[in-house]
Amino acid sequence: MSAAEASLGRQIKGPSAVGTDPRRFWHLTRALAVTEFKLRFFGSVLGYAWQVMRPLLLFGVLYVLFTQIIDVGNDVPFYGVALLLGLVLYTFFSESTGTAVTSIVDRENLVRKIEFPRLAVPMSVVLTAMFNLVLNFGVVVVFLLASGGSVRWSWLELIPLVALLAIVSSGMAMLLSASFVRARDVKPIWDVVLQILFYASPIFYMIETVQETAPTWVAKVLMLNPFAAILQQARHAMVSPEYDTAASAIGGTWRLLIPLAIIFGVFALGYAVFRRAAPRLAEDL
């Protein structure tokens, strides 16, 4: 230690990402998420119904377009339910990451004045999106049963699948929220990335259709996308076993290690970036 540094005294550390008490971090994250969930539609006539109506409105437009005009989904089993499930999962990912981008800046007054685990801010955004996902899953179940589907034990696969989606969403939320504090270009860039992800993922078209109409490598490359792999397995588990498993669509079980590595790699990178930036977030705002 130099003489100049010694004269400044003991180094004071800023607020950390998680803090020293995991229970405090969890309670704060949950409190922020519940408050945001209650306030989002406060004062609106339809209230929480808007959360269900938004994916339903997009579903209605795409369903009419691809079954009545372009004629893509008529030969696909339970096409409407498969489309709705894709929109619901994509809405969770886009909402949790898109809202998290500006979450630290949006809570500037809180971050500047109070010392608390900084990671609670972007994680509360992901948790709020999870509340909405649960509501929207109820709509998917209603549509599936009304279309002639049935309850199957394979629905339990949705638990680890949603957990994987939450992990990659949390990783992106941490990475984007910490980066936006110093680089405001992050938001428009991420908006473009989300649009690309929507069209590059088999949401309104099926991976089985890609396998039939394009070279075989195209479907396998698309399935390297973690969101596409999760969605494909969710359709197989929940909508109908007629949909290929993710392992079959990607060309082998071992190839699923690639999207899995991306999921946990994004989470590790996001946590490392946020943990490094957390003590200086208030000064950087």
Side-chain angles (χ1 to χ4, degrees), residues 71-231:
D71 191 19
V72 170
N74 283 328
D75 298 330
V76 178
F78 299 102
Y79 174 76
V81 183
L83 171 62
L84 183 59
L85 178 60
L87 290 174
V88 165
L89 292 178
Y90 176 79
T91 299
F92 167 74
F93 182 75
S94 64
E95 180 182 354
S96 58
T97 58
T99 307
V101 176
T102 61
S103 59
I104 296 292
V105 176
D106 291 341
R107 294 187 181 273
E108 179 177 353
N109 290 336
L110 191 65
V111 174
R112 283 184 180 277
K113 297 177 181 177
I114 304 175
E115 181 174 336
F116 65 95
R118 303 311 198 204
L119 192 57
V121 175
M123 288 302 96
S124 68
V125 173
V126 178
L127 188 57
T128 303
M130 185 64 73
F131 294 159
N132 298 329
L133 177 63
V134 173
L135 284 177
N136 290 330
F137 258 131
V139 179
V140 177
V141 171
V142 171
F143 268 75
L144 177 59
L145 298 179
S147 302
S150 58
V151 179
R152 293 181 290 126
W153 284 107
S154 59
W155 286 18
L156 293 175
E157 291 181 30
L158 291 175
I159 297 174
L161 292 173
V162 170
L164 289 173
L165 188 58
I167 290 172
V168 70
S169 300
S170 299
M172 288 306 309
M174 290 186 284
L175 179 62
L176 293 169
S177 59
S179 302
F180 182 74
V181 173
R182 288 194 168 187
R184 302 305 168 94
D185 293 331
V186 170
K187 181 170 176 50
I189 292 174
W190 185 244
D191 288 341
V192 173
V193 172
L194 284 176
Q195 289 293 321
I196 295 173
L197 178 67
F198 181 80
Y199 292 106
S201 302
I203 296 174
F204 55 87
Y205 57 87
M206 303 299 132
I207 201 68
E208 291 81 359
T209 305
V210 178
Q211 292 169 336
E212 295 171 359
T213 58
T216 54
W217 61 268
V218 175
K220 293 176 181 176
V221 170
L222 290 176
M223 291 299 295
L224 296 179
N225 170 7
F227 178 80
I230 292 171
L231 173 58

Side-chain angles (χ1 to χ4, degrees), residues 52-75:
V52 177
M53 288 182 63
R54 286 191 300 179
L56 277 181
L57 291 172
L58 180 58
F59 161 74
V61 172
L62 293 177
Y63 184 77
V64 171
L65 177 64
F66 291 110
T67 59
Q68 305 301 318
I69 300 176
I70 302 180
D71 191 19
V72 170
N74 283 328
D75 298 330

Side-chain angles (χ1 to χ4, degrees), residues 5-87:
E5 289 176 333
S7 65
L8 294 175
R10 185 172 59 89
Q11 185 178 5
I12 300 175
K13 294 183 178 179
S16 64
V18 182
T20 57
D21 187 350
R23 288 185 301 175
R24 183 186 179 222
F25 168 71
W26 164 246
H27 289 316
L28 180 59
T29 302
R30 187 180 62 178
L32 290 173
V34 171
T35 302
E36 174 62 24
F37 186 72
K38 290 181 177 178
L39 291 178
R40 177 165 298 181
F41 302 105
F42 180 77
S44 67
V45 176
L46 296 179
Y48 298 127
W50 279 115
Q51 190 57 48
V52 177
M53 288 182 63
R54 286 191 300 179
L56 277 181
L57 291 172
L58 180 58
F59 161 74
V61 172
L62 293 177
Y63 184 77
V64 171
L65 177 64
F66 291 110
T67 59
Q68 305 301 318
I69 300 176
I70 302 180
D71 191 19
V72 170
N74 283 328
D75 298 330
V76 178
F78 299 102
Y79 174 76
V81 183
L83 171 62
L84 183 59
L85 178 60
L87 290 174

